[in-house]
Amino acid sequence: QLQASGGGLVQAGGSLRLSCAASGRTFSSYAAGWFHQAPGKEREFVAAISGRGANTYYARSVQGRFTISRDNAKNTVYLQMNSLKPEDTAVYYCAADDWSGTIASGTADYWGQGTQVTVSS
C-alpha cells in the first residue's frame, strides 16, 4: 500500500514537500514516482526514482524545480516542490513499479491515493 500526504494550499513561488509511505513490501526493490492530474486533464508523469535512488527522471515542466528522493529505511519517497506555479495545481499520486522506466513512460503497477496541491496566484 502507498499512502501519500503533504498536499495543501500555497502561494505561487512557495514550496511543499509530498511524502509517500509504503507498507507491506520490500520498498527498495521497487522504483517509485509521482504523477499529477489537473481537473479535466489526463494524468501526467512528474518524477521517478530507481529502487536504490541512483537514478531520477523528471518531466520537463518540473525539471529544476522539483526533486524526488527516497529513504528506504523509512519506506518513504518524497517530492520536494519549489518555485510552485498555479499550473502545478493538481491531485498528486504516488506510484511504484518494478522499473523506473515504466513510471517515466506514464504508468505503474501500484498506486496510492492522491493528495491535493493548490497553488494560488
Side-chain angles (χ1 to χ4, degrees), residues 17-95:
R17 188 175 82 156
L18 305 183
S19 299
C20 178
S23 61
R25 299 185 182 272
T26 305
F27 190 52
S28 61
S29 299
Y30 292 86
W34 293 92
F35 294 77
H36 68 197
Q37 187 168 19
K41 295 189 177 181
E42 297 288 319
R43 183 182 65 205
E44 296 180 335
F45 164 74
V46 175
I49 187 167
S50 58
R52 297 193 180 277
N55 298 303
T56 57
Y57 308 86
Y58 296 95
R60 287 184 180 181
S61 60
V62 306
Q63 201 149 18
R65 299 189 298 122
F66 291 10
T67 302
I68 189 169
S69 61
R70 64 191 299 159
D71 184 342
N72 286 336
K74 296 182 178 179
N75 279 7
T76 302
V77 63
Y78 304 98
L79 185 69
Q80 178 67 43
M81 305 186 295
N82 298 330
S83 302
L84 282 160
K85 304 174 181 180
E87 51 263 43
D88 295 319
T89 295
V91 177
Y92 282 71
Y93 298 90
C94 61

